[in-house]
Amino acid sequence: MVDVKFPDVGEGITEGTLVKWLVKIGDEVKADQAVAEIETDKAIVEIPTSKGGKVSKLYGKEGDIIKVGSTIVTLALPGEEMRIPEAELPEVKPQEKPVEVKPEIKIPEKPAEVPQRVLAAPATRRLARELGVDISAVAGSGPGGRVTDEDIRKFAELKHEVEPVAVQPLPEMKPAEERIQIKGIRKTIGERMVKSLFTAPHVVSMDEADVTELVSLREKEKKLAQEKGVKLTYLAFIIKAATVALKQHPYLNASLDAQKNEIVLKRYYNIGIAVDTPEGLMVPVIKNADQKSIMELAKEGERLAEEARNRKIKLPDLKGNTFTITNIGSIGGIFSTPIINPPDVAILGVHRIRDMPVVIDGEVRVRKIMPLVLSFDHRVLDGAQAARFMNTLIEHLEDPDLLLLDVM
Amino acid sequence: MVMGDIVTGCDVLVIGGGPGGYTAAIRASQLGRDVVLAERYDLGGACVYRGCIPSKTLIHAANLIYDIKNPGNIGIKASVEFDYKKIQERRFEVVKKLRDGIGNLCKKYGVQVIKGEAYLESSDKARITSHDGTTSTFEFGNAIIATGSRSQELPGLPFDGKLVIDSNEALGLMKVPEDLVIIGAGYISAELGTMFAKLGTKVKIVQRSSRILTRFDPEVVEVVSQKMKKLGIEIYYNSKFRGLREDNNKAVVKISEDKGIETELRADKVLIAVGIRPNTEKIGLENTRIELDERGFIKVDEKRRTTDPKIFAVGDVSGPPFVAHKAFREGKVAAEVIAGLPSAFDNRSIPETVFSDPEIATAGLDEVSARKSGFEIKTGKFPFRASGSALTMDSTDGFVKVVSGMNGEILGINIVGANASMLIGEASHSIEMAAFLEDLAGTIHPHPTLSEALAEAAEAALGKVVHI
């Protein structure tokens, strides 16, 4: 017999959620074959077995929290008899048969569940359609659970305020409140943000870049990039400009070693990019961004974002950031105050490019303006340094030729 | 194609001027759309010419004749004579009034009515051919198909208008037949069978299964089939049509009864009432992206949109039940959706009525269908023999049955009895408003009227009825 354990995957991870069994009792597995998927604070990892054998026991069920180092699967090695305590079989069995629709199943004369009918008058149902409310998700406050016009209006407002929660109504019961357990990525985000905000004194510096020329450059080169299969994003240009500026202002590409009371200046430039995923914010890292071309940055940024969204991202791709960029502009907002992503000492927020009136030579012109914000750790940096960094960054964004010069 | 054929533009083209079509056209026009309505005959559709209106006009006359002859125990003695031709002439008057009324409404609301057959050439163009052969082509923003339905033929036995007739031809007979065989036992069979029996016809109904009016609660149907028996209507259950021959201008219908016994039925006319089929042919559906369902009806969604995004379908052509009031509502929904309003056909109750004796009227689910849909149910029944009003009218056959969920929500109301069709509106409204038993029971119904029976039945379901 051999036990497959949840190994130490590093990054200080102590536990994970068992997402999916990849094997079932009685399966023959080969060495290095994955037996389960476990979601850690960082990503979903597949747990491999070091030896081949026959699965004789699975520990826990999907959704359980598994501690690092605990056994998840027991394998009977070739030649060993499979010992399955009979009493345990029924408990394990459900995992053997994932829910699947079999076409030959006959629909019973009487469905098992009593159908749920929406209790609402025609005028109320019409109001729901008018306000784009899924009436079946609304808890009725009227007698017998009847949905009133007031309920619909309240729901519509609520939906407006907390869109992400409201779009996933619970199918069966609709209580007035919903409780969602904080775990996985959400938990990590919370812990890291609290630590960052309450350790590092944050200062936010805001500025604007006139990116009119950058916009036309990108428009021009977009097609060429497309032919090479690359979606040429603004983010790629911004990463490039940031690495140039970071090289000139090394204190922004640093971290603070509080124990030794030292500032660590880093001569490698690993840029974290904030990605909005269904599970929450993830920050994949583009390594050695300073050595990559804009095309390469665009390509790699796209790949990492995609992997993060699909939960396919590997742990190493989530580690080692020295500076982070959050591109909130793709979603909305004019300004924000981002929280520094540890162990960085600064984070750059990029906002939506808008047509704005700008006075140039005493004349009002319409220019493409990109708002920029920089949150920095005042223990390491002062406002003047930050402003100088921003100036360099803006300079390179406003004059893309300069950006290209730096590349060469 | 006529020389110089000019393409005219319109916002909405409605194909078919029956209940669904003319309602859609008028509503679209009310909402500011430029509407063209194409109708190959006259406005009004099956409802006005071949269904609801003619049948109810004739049934009303037949009921009067029967009631005068059979006044019951109320102390009246009378005899009755009637002139069926005159009864039919009055029917034409009623039909004409309605037809003209619809024409005037279309005029009033600015609907351009074109008499002719419309043919869709594409998803945004249709050709309308008038009876004189002239054509006009319309390019439309949206189209609404409302071409209705017609009687289903029996395989191998086409309608000949002489011996083998459909319901429309049966209503059009200018002479009451002596013997009538009806194949099928749905609502048309029950209504026309009862009507002709009251006018003196020997009616025989041939039905494949062991029940008639299979769409309805068996308990409800029982009251009607008892009365049909009393009227002398013979029903051949579990019987199959085997063939037909002509003998001396009469039809001889061969059927095989239960256990294979073969019987021959002689009749002046054989009425085929085995079902309804949609009018989906010859309107160019193949030039659009419209899909039909497995039964041949046009597939539509809640907004009555077909699988072709610009085209809508309403009424019988888009599926059962084949009732004008469903088409009315669907027509309005389609027109409103086209005008950008948030309308949808989300009705819980499409009431159905059978003008049998006594009448059947239902709204929502019945006991059987509610259980089949998975509901745990409570029922409450109030018989008309306990109703003061029914007693005054000496019309105590039948009952009201209320079906509710265990929470008390009213799922359906089934009525069999005198004037059931007049009572069902309240039932339908209750279901649409998501009323509970308490709501119906707590509503004051005027005394003495038959409507009290609805509240009483609700009380019965609540287990606290006073009057039984």
Side-chain angles (χ1 to χ4, degrees):
Chain A
M1 288 285 179
V2 64
D3 289 338
V4 180
K5 291 189 163 73
F6 178 20
D8 188 351
V9 288
E11 278 287 293
I13 286 163
T14 58
E15 60 179 35
T17 308
L18 178 59
V19 182
K20 198 176 165 195
W21 286 116
L22 301 175
V23 295
K24 57 183 192 289
I25 289 184
D27 278 3
E28 290 282 357
V29 295
K30 292 194 195 102
D32 297 326
Q33 185 179 335
V35 295
E37 276 182 10
I38 293 181
E39 179 186 7
T40 69
D41 297 352
K42 294 277 188 177
I44 290 179
V45 287
E46 291 189 340
I47 308 298
T49 166
S50 56
K51 294 203 171 80
K54 200 172 206 171
V55 177
S56 71
K57 191 167 178 191
L58 302 178
Y59 297 82
K61 55 182 189 300
E62 289 171 4
D64 281 358
I65 303 285
I66 311 283
K67 295 268 179 222
V68 167
S70 59
T71 302
I72 49 174
V73 173
T74 299
L75 299 176
L77 296 174
E80 279 185 310
E81 203 182 307
M82 254 182 77
R83 276 169 294 168
I84 306 166
E86 275 192 16
E88 286 180 24
L89 263 178
E91 186 195 316
V92 192
K93 232 174 177 171
Q95 271 105 47
E96 283 188 67
K97 289 184 185 168
V99 184
E100 54 182 358
V101 183
K102 288 186 184 159
E104 68 269 21
I105 288 176
K106 276 187 194 161
I107 295 159
E109 178 81 345
K110 188 182 156 189
E113 273 172 53
V114 173
Q116 287 288 317
R117 306 227 308 181
V118 173
L119 297 170
T124 310
R125 284 162 10 215
R126 185 188 173 95
L127 179 70
R129 286 196 299 272
E130 211 169 292
L131 299 178
V133 168
D134 171 12
I135 195 165
S136 66
V138 180
S141 68
R146 229 172 282 169
V147 179
T148 65
D149 286 7
E150 196 56 32
D151 294 334
I152 298 286
R153 288 205 181 88
K154 274 190 190 151
F155 192 90
E157 276 168 35
L158 195 76
K159 193 179 143 210
H160 220 66
E161 284 164 17
V162 285
E163 192 72 31
V165 179
V167 291
Q168 287 184 326
L170 290 177
E172 66 282 40
M173 289 256 298
K174 287 120 200 166
E177 292 180 349
E178 190 182 335
R179 286 175 167 265
I180 296 152
Q181 207 198 337
I182 294 182
K183 56 181 184 184
I185 292 175
R186 194 74 257 151
K187 197 172 161 191
T188 315
I189 295 170
E191 284 166 2
R192 289 174 67 114
M193 292 302 106
V194 165
K195 196 172 158 218
S196 172
L197 191 63
F198 292 106
T199 345
H202 280 59
V203 181
V204 186
S205 165
M206 304 184 180
D207 214 324
E208 287 176 343
D210 179 342
V211 292
T212 313
E213 282 175 40
L214 178 62
V215 170
S216 52
L217 173 70
R218 177 179 165 266
E219 285 306 316
K220 210 172 78 198
E221 303 306 342
K222 209 162 66 175
K223 237 180 125 188
L224 181 76
Q226 214 159 24
E227 281 164 16
K228 293 185 177 173
V230 178
K231 194 178 151 204
L232 189 57
T233 57
Y234 285 110
L235 187 63
F237 289 97
I238 296 161
I239 294 170
K240 183 44 78 182
T243 55
V244 171
L246 287 172
K247 280 189 171 173
Q248 292 183 27
H249 307 277
Y251 275 77
L252 281 108
N253 195 53
S255 62
L256 180 75
D257 188 336
Q259 278 178 344
K260 292 186 183 160
N261 235 354
E262 287 171 353
I263 293 171
V264 186
L265 302 183
K266 297 170 181 173
R267 301 223 169 78
Y268 50 96
Y269 301 88
N270 297 343
I271 309 298
I273 48 172
V275 176
D276 177 43
T277 79
E279 265 83 13
L281 178 70
M282 290 184 90
V283 187
V285 180
I286 299 180
K287 303 280 159 56
N288 302 315
D290 59 319
Q291 295 164 24
K292 290 174 181 165
S293 72
I294 289 169
M295 286 287 220
E296 283 166 345
L297 292 171
K299 209 167 161 180
E300 190 169 346
E302 197 62 19
R303 172 182 69 83
L304 290 171
E306 195 55 35
E307 286 180 358
R309 282 188 207 107
N310 300 336
R311 305 297 311 271
K312 294 279 175 220
I313 194 135
K314 305 272 182 323
L315 267 180
D317 280 334
L318 291 167
K319 291 196 282 195
N321 47 295
T322 61
F323 184 81
T324 299
I325 298 174
T326 170
N327 180 19
I328 316 151
S330 59
I331 300 168
I334 304 172
F335 285 111
S336 63
T337 60
I339 297 174
I340 299 161
N341 182 28
D344 301 352
V345 292
I347 181 167
L348 177 69
V350 182
H351 289 273
R352 179 169 294 173
I353 300 168
R354 295 179 303 157
D355 285 339
M356 296 285 283
V358 175
V359 180
I360 297 171
D361 299 333
E363 258 184 67
V364 178
R365 301 246 195 95
V366 176
R367 304 289 290 177
K368 307 274 183 201
I369 300 299
M370 177 197 273
L372 297 165
V373 298
L374 182 81
S375 290
F376 61 90
D377 185 341
H378 213 333
R379 293 172 302 175
V380 178
L381 292 158
D382 294 330
Q385 276 167 298
R388 281 195 280 270
F389 165 81
M390 286 288 259
N391 287 344
T392 311
L393 177 72
I394 291 166
E395 205 183 336
H396 283 77
L397 288 173
E398 294 193 339
D399 184 358
D401 290 345
L402 211 53
L403 201 58
L404 299 175
L405 275 179
D406 276 304
V407 177
M408 289 192 282
Chain B
M1 185 71 69
V2 165
M3 289 287 288
D5 187 30
I6 297 166
V7 177
T8 316
C10 66
D11 294 333
V12 181
L13 171 70
V14 181
I15 304 177
Y22 79 75
T23 306
I26 289 174
R27 178 54 52 90
S29 198
Q30 285 172 330
L31 292 168
R33 296 302 184 273
D34 171 22
V35 184
V36 172
L37 170 59
E39 164 59 49
R40 57 179 165 162
Y41 305 123
D42 287 314
L43 292 176
C47 167
V48 172
Y49 302 102
R50 305 184 288 281
C52 326
I53 300 301
S55 70
K56 266 85 257 179
T57 312
L58 298 180
I59 288 169
H60 175 72
N63 284 349
L64 261 180
I65 292 163
Y66 179 80
D67 289 346
I68 294 169
K69 272 194 204 160
N70 302 275
N73 302 318
I74 55 176
I76 297 175
K77 259 192 202 164
S79 61
V80 62
E81 276 175 25
F82 68 89
D83 181 342
Y84 194 63
K85 223 178 126 223
K86 284 227 166 97
I87 291 174
Q88 282 287 25
E89 277 164 12
R90 177 178 167 273
R91 187 262 278 210
F92 295 134
E93 277 306 304
V94 173
V95 167
K96 190 175 168 297
K97 264 186 199 158
L98 285 169
R99 180 192 66 202
D100 294 349
I102 296 164
N104 287 336
L105 286 172
C106 286
K107 205 173 283 171
K108 178 177 165 191
Y109 290 106
V111 173
Q112 188 190 346
V113 180
I114 296 183
K115 199 164 175 176
E117 291 195 19
Y119 179 84
L120 290 161
E121 291 183 327
S122 67
S123 292
D124 52 13
K125 210 196 279 177
R127 188 178 67 227
I128 302 175
T129 309
S130 303
H131 296 292
D132 61 9
T134 55
T135 65
S136 42
T137 303
F138 285 88
E139 229 169 50
F140 53 79
N142 293 102
I144 301 174
I145 299 177
T147 46
S149 62
R150 61 184 186 277
S151 300
Q152 172 91 52
E153 290 182 343
L154 210 55
L157 192 66
F159 297 116
D160 61 12
K162 214 177 78 184
L163 291 179
V164 183
I165 58 175
D166 67 3
S167 58
N168 177 34
E169 289 158 335
L171 291 169
L173 294 175
M174 293 307 281
K175 207 177 125 234
V176 177
E178 275 177 44
D179 290 284
L180 176 69
V181 167
I182 307 177
I183 315 280
Y187 78 94
I188 289 176
S189 176
E191 287 186 357
L192 298 191
T194 301
M195 178 189 101
F196 281 115
K198 286 180 174 177
L199 293 171
T201 306
K202 279 291 295 168
V203 177
K204 297 182 172 80
I205 294 175
V206 180
Q207 167 69 341
R208 290 167 69 107
S209 67
S210 60
R211 286 177 49 210
I212 61 164
L213 295 166
T214 49
R215 282 176 74 81
F216 299 95
D217 180 333
E219 220 181 334
V220 164
V221 174
E222 181 58 25
V223 178
V224 172
S225 54
Q226 285 296 329
K227 183 63 183 270
M228 284 167 81
K229 199 188 244 176
K230 216 171 133 191
L231 287 167
I233 298 170
E234 288 176 54
I235 303 175
Y236 294 80
Y237 291 103
N238 301 313
S239 299
K240 287 195 183 83
F241 171 82
R242 287 289 176 218
L244 177 131
R245 66 186 160 83
E246 203 182 320
D247 178 29
N248 239 347
N249 277 336
K250 289 223 171 196
V252 180
V253 180
K254 198 202 260 182
I255 60 165
S256 66
E257 289 186 75
D258 227 355
K259 293 162 199 152
I261 307 162
E262 299 229 326
T263 310
E264 285 196 336
L265 310 172
R266 288 181 75 82
D268 302 313
K269 304 283 174 192
V270 181
L271 165 58
I272 309 294
V274 292
I276 274 169
R277 56 182 299 187
N279 293 330
T280 49
E281 304 89 346
K282 296 180 195 162
I283 49 173
L285 294 188
E286 61 281 5
N287 303 325
T288 69
R289 287 198 267 153
I290 290 173
E291 289 170 22
L292 304 181
D293 68 16
E294 65 282 357
R295 295 176 57 198
F297 297 98
I298 294 177
K299 272 194 211 166
V300 289
D301 66 8
E302 200 184 46
K303 297 186 183 297
R304 302 298 105 171
R305 269 189 305 236
T306 66
T307 43
D308 192 315
K310 290 179 123 187
I311 306 179
F312 292 65
V314 301
D316 291 0
V317 77
S318 65
F322 309 108
V323 288
H325 42 270
K326 168 178 155 282
F328 287 138
R329 171 99 185 108
E330 289 178 332
K332 288 179 198 166
V333 167
E336 288 171 3
V337 169
I338 287 171
L341 297 177
S343 298
F345 188 85
D346 63 348
N347 290 69
R348 270 73 185 292
S349 157
I350 304 171
E352 288 186 60
T353 53
V354 183
F355 289 82
S356 48
D357 186 1
E359 291 176 359
I360 295 173
T362 69
L365 303 172
D366 63 26
E367 219 179 313
V368 180
S369 59
R371 286 217 170 88
K372 249 191 190 156
S373 314
F375 287 102
E376 274 186 63
I377 57 164
K378 290 196 282 197
T379 63
K381 204 166 118 178
F382 186 80
F384 282 118
R385 71 186 137 68
S387 151
S389 173
L391 277 172
T392 63
M393 299 190 299
D394 192 27
S395 185
T396 53
D397 286 348
F399 58 84
V400 174
K401 195 200 273 188
V402 174
V403 179
S404 84
M406 295 311 282
N407 61 351
E409 186 205 352
I410 297 170
L411 301 174
I413 297 180
N414 302 275
I415 308 174
V416 57
N419 296 320
S421 61
M422 305 279 182
L423 300 176
I424 204 65
E426 182 191 1
S428 197
H429 184 238
S430 296
I431 294 163
E432 214 60 73
M433 293 296 288
F436 283 65
L437 292 171
E438 291 281 1
D439 299 321
L440 192 52
T443 299
I444 297 177
H445 290 73
H447 180 73
T449 65
L450 296 175
S451 71
E452 292 167 279
L454 273 87
E456 296 282 351
E459 290 217 304
L462 288 166
K464 54 181 189 187
V465 65
V466 169
H467 287 100
I468 43 174

